[in-house]
């Protein structure tokens, strides 16, 4: 068998004992404690702790793309077993038996291409966190269709370690008759210029050198960050549900959203929490998509103000006494029906100065499919992850969203925190992002001619929370000396937008500087750092802000450029 | 003459030609251009440019203490002259002649102890900026009584360079008959534990090691930052004037302020923009008081909400269409009657969540004299300089305060900006401060015993704009490895204050960590860095954030501590 053959190639083999699923494994890097509940002989004699330390160890990355890159990093402490035992150990299981193993207490079994796996021990090591439990008792195929990154040889090798037998032939036949279609088959076409970080779900960024060619990023090259397949939403039957307010549930059609509420337009920059993650990966590998510097873009958004919709649904000052959060649910969902979700603080949602939109237009046109058609939330100044696309439901609540992405992802930690020690409850969900800037031109590793005598450096700068960028300093010598760049807040041929009111600077600034080439230098280390109007500044280096999820990567940006001496000289 | 003798000791002598004030000097580092206005022979044949570059060169520090320290730094480009000319060159001037020279156009003359000085050329070099013009045409004595730091030998030496003659004897007699009393004679008594940075005006900070002994800083050791003498205010005749609102001027007695408006209490940390300036001075000298790490303190403030008072004075949403700022004038004033002043954005002032107070109590008692008795502004989350003490007037306005401290001070610049190139209009007045933290225990240069096996590190952390500190990382090895400190937001024997609403974390957090002494190390380089809930982080090093005024010094704080080996061992 293919899997078996792969299995033989593994240098460190996991347990493949048929009795293993009835034994008491020491779950790697998880606290294991006996629970007080009685356990009969029919039940498994061990139970895994479900307290905070267990949850911590499961602390997740986005289930899916990029995460698997980190498999190699992860402790893999399964015991060595004698490979000779394997072949004789394989048993035949019914689908019913597999379905009976859907929890850490009962064991976590899955099937894949007719084989049965007990992955109980692996759960704590899954780079995608506890989302793996959604597959428990069933077949992996539909999940891997959703998170295509799993279809790699080393993932199959890891899986092979946990094989305990084969699925009964007639159950396999039944399984195969339910053809799982590709959930991404109806994803839209994308612009070929995009640099793709993952195809399924689709995640891509524009080339940096074109990013700052336009103050308003054209929608086609605006960075795409999807967690799930793009849902197909019929605008006529689309309904937005608003819950948790004294007025009772409010349901709005797209037409009602557009006509009942004034249309409000905001130019706002969105940035992924993982922008510039690749620089953290160079320090020490992290989990997540390996974004460059262009998981940030700027657009003009139009829609109803969330504030107005909440007022229409009965929001009043009394609500703030019991509720602190506004949750959003997307219409994008995984095979279990779990939707993407996030929340923002209520005060941001209802503030007249918060400018939170239920946007139905981007850059003057209907939202593109990749950006949330027909309606998305735009939360200016706030991390991309809270700007929920394909918005289905709004819930005003005392609690933050319980979604994986709010609770166990998109949070920042100390460089000292690793996957064994991380406590996701100890850090706040990222909302406002810190001061950021990067150099888009010239690109790292390129060269400038000595004869050109000057070098032009361009980039972007932005800060979260509506804090306006007030200065960008640029160095050509690695940070020893600095020059102040020119800032602009419009396209060059247009008048600059009016200065934003205090605390409402939602859009980035583009910057540029043309400086003489230093006479002596053979190479330039170009560095930029920005300052916002709270005078927050970027940290100098990456290592001290490194964190296990590779988020909030906002150290000075550095590119090295060679100076090519003019050969015609002399 | 004493001044002349001092003058002889100077290695670089300025011009001492009697005709000098009629010649056309090249004002150091100032653009000089002819003005279009006619100039008769009686008038001076040159006029100084008053355009932006002139103002830039005058860009100021706080008139007063600390600034003089920077004299040595400043370019001093006055021409060399033959010292022999001097004695014969001295002339006798009348007070009327002196009084006729009160501007850069007419020349700037002053008297001091009977001598007359033409300091026109010096104006651009005055570390205290253009406040020097207030003394024009008159005697320096009352100003130097106000800013006692001038009474140093090297200041007299500089002054001597500009001597042009003597004051007529009868005018000197008249001047002397107007005895200038010490404007600081009624300043209050202060706690002897304070470390004094300047006596007149009084500026002092507590010793760092006691700063973090209490979550609420006792008023007596709360850092003091006065710009002028402490005014004597009679609580019965005290009136607060509110202007610029549709209701017309509103005047409130202290009793009215206390009884007409609900009493609101806020725990808020105040920090001077110059806190930790001494670390910038170590990189390259800056202008200003040489604050250590304790120009920050935390108190409980009670008073009327500014919002409520503005509403009572007629504030309504229409006002926001024409006004953007709320100006404050103190009752502290210099000899010309110029008061301390500052302004904050209107939206901060009127926001329900801004918590801006007209405070009449500090830590449960009447405000102490040094902290603004009877009424001061407390602007939580905002730099100390805008928290105007001894509040006399509130003006709602389209413009920021025109005060020196708002316009030409308390702003941040690039490390590349020097006094020749600074344009104070190019940077926003500091309002919210960036993320900050420092180590109060152990002190730099102290030692810990090897036998103690552990070291306990303590400090404070705070961020501006109501952003809550969510983590403090501590390193014992100069920043290579990190540990997460314990945070607290109350005194140890008290229950922690309830978590603040989002965006309203006005008070600092104290932090502490006890860590094993590294086995190999002989010295620890202890470093701290804090993170706020917008995930802003402190920059790694001081040099890249150095600025000519030494404000916003928030790089990682570092202290070195020796490990003393236990001699009884072996």
């Amino acid at each position: 068998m293919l899997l078996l053959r792969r299995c033989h190639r593994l240098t460190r083999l996991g347990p493949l004992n048929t009795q293993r699923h009835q034994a008491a494994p020491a779950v790697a890097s998880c606290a294991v404690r006996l629970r007080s509940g009685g356990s009969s002989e029919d039940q498994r004699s061990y139970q895994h702790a479900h307290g905070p330390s267990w949850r911590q160890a499961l602390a997740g990355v986005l289930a899916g793309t990029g995460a698997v890159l980190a498999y190699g990093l992860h402790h893999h402490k399964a015991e060595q077993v004698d490979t000779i035992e394997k072949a004789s150990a394989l048993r035949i299981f019914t689908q019913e038996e597999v379905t009976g193993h859907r929890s850490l207490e009962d064991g976590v079994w899955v099937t894949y291409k007719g084989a049965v796996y007990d992955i109980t021990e692996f759960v704590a090591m899954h780079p995608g966190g506890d989302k793996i439990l959604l597959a428990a008792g069933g077949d992996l195929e539909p999940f891997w269709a959703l998170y295509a990154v799993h279809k790699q040889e080393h993932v199959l090798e890891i899986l092979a370690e946990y094989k305990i037998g084969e699925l009964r032939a007639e159950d396999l036949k039944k399984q195969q008759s339910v053809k799982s279609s590709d959930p991404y088959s109806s994803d839209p076409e994308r612009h070929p210029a995009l640099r793709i970080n993952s195809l399924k779900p689709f995640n891509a960024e524009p080339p940096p050198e074109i990013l700052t060619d336009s103050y308003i990023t054209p929608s086609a090259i605006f960075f795409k960050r999807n967690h799930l397949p793009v849902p197909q939403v019929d605008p006529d039957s689309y309904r937005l549900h608003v819950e948790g307010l004294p007025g009772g549930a409010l349901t709005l059609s797209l037409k009602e959203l557009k006509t009942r509420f004034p249309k409000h337009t905001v130019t706002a920059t969105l940035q992924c929490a993982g922008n510039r993650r690749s620089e953290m990966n160079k320090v020490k590998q992290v989990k997540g998509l390996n974004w460059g510097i262009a998981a940030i873009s700027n657009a003009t958004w139009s829609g109803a103000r969330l504030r107005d919709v909440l007022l229409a649904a009965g929001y009043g000052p009394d609500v703030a006494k019991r509720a602190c959060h506004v949750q959003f649910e997307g219409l994008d969902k995984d095979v279990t029906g779990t939707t993407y979700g996030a929340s923002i603080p209520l005060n941001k949602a209802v503030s007249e100065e918060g400018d939170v939109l239920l946007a139905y237009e981007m850059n003057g046109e209907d939202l593109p499919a990749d950006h949330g058609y027909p309606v998305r939330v735009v939360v200016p100044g706030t991390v991309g992850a809270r700007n929920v696309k394909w918005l289905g439901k709004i819930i005003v609540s005392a609690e933050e969203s319980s979604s994986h992405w709010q609770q166990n992802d998109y949070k920042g930690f100390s460089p000292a925190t690793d996957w064994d020690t991380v406590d996701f409850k100890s850090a706040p969900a990222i909302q406002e992002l810190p001061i950021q800037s990067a150099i888009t031109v010239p690109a790292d590793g390129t060269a400038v001619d000595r004869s050109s005598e000057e070098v032009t450096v361009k980039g972007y700068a932005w800060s979260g929370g509506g804090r306006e960028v007030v200065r960008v300093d640029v160095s050509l010598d690695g940070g020893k000396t600095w020059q102040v760049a020119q800032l602009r807040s419009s396209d060059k041929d247009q008048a600059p937008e009016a200065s934003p009111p205090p605390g409402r600077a939602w859009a980035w600034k583009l910057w540029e500087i043309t400086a003489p080439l230093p006479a002596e230098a053979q190479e330039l280390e170009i560095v930029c750092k920005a300052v916002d109007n709270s005078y927050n500044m970027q940290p100098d280096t990456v290592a001290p802000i490194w964190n296990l999820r590779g988020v909030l990567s906002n150290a000075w940006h550095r590119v090295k450029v060679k100076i090519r001496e003019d050969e015609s000289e002399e």
Side-chain angles (χ1 to χ4, degrees), chain A residues 511-535:
Chain A
W511 55 264
E512 185 170 334
I513 188 168
T514 298
L517 285 179
E520 301 300 311
Q522 296 181 309
E523 189 184 53
L524 304 178
E525 186 182 359
I526 309 177
V527 184
C528 73
K529 63 182 173 85
V531 183
D532 68 25
N533 64 354
S534 296
Y535 284 100

Side-chain angles (χ1 to χ4, degrees), chain A residues 205-226:
Chain A
E205 62 190 298
E209 57 273 26
I210 69 171
L211 177 64
T212 49
D213 277 350
S214 45
Y215 183 72
I216 300 293
T217 315
S219 305
I221 64 154
F222 196 104
F223 82 98
K224 321 287 178 206
R225 204 291 175 241
N226 298 343

Side-chain angles (χ1 to χ4, degrees), chain A residues 264 266-267 305 352-355 465-468 500-507:
Chain A
H264 192 72
V266 172
T267 301
R305 293 205 296 189
E352 283 196 79
E353 296 173 347
D355 289 324
R467 290 180 285 280
E468 187 176 5
R504 294 164 84 179
W506 310 126

